[in-house]
Amino acid sequence: MAIAKEKGVYKGGKKKYHAEAKRKDKVVYDEVVRLLKQNESVMNIHRKTGVSRNTIYGIKKDLSILTSAKDDDL
């Protein structure tokens, strides 16, 4: 698998919840982001939305990368 990744053949699965998502997935993504910004715990977000904790951690990581990139631009 590592060799395939190096060649660009294996790229992993597509994200369901992301900033450019459509319809219901976008609504769920926006709700997770809103709750994260309110410093809600990952477990509570999981309970409220039904989104897996790993997915929430991924969204949280993506948000931190975006905010740090914006800070670097200033």
Side-chain angles (χ1 to χ4, degrees), residues 5-59:
K5 283 184 180 181
E6 287 176 15
K7 291 180 180 179
V9 177
Y10 180 81
K11 298 176 184 161
K14 295 182 180 178
K15 291 186 176 185
K16 183 174 181 179
Y17 304 110
H18 53 87
E20 290 80 33
K22 304 282 187 209
R23 300 185 186 105
K24 181 183 171 193
D25 295 341
K26 178 66 172 166
V27 172
V28 173
Y29 173 82
D30 289 342
E31 178 68 6
V32 170
V33 170
R34 184 183 68 78
L35 292 170
L36 284 170
K37 288 182 178 179
Q38 291 179 352
N39 293 321
E40 192 76 32
S41 73
V42 171
M43 193 64 198
N44 283 341
I45 296 171
H46 163 69
R47 288 181 183 134
K48 290 178 181 178
T49 62
V51 176
S52 75
R53 291 181 304 146
N54 279 340
T55 300
I56 296 167
Y57 283 118
I59 293 171

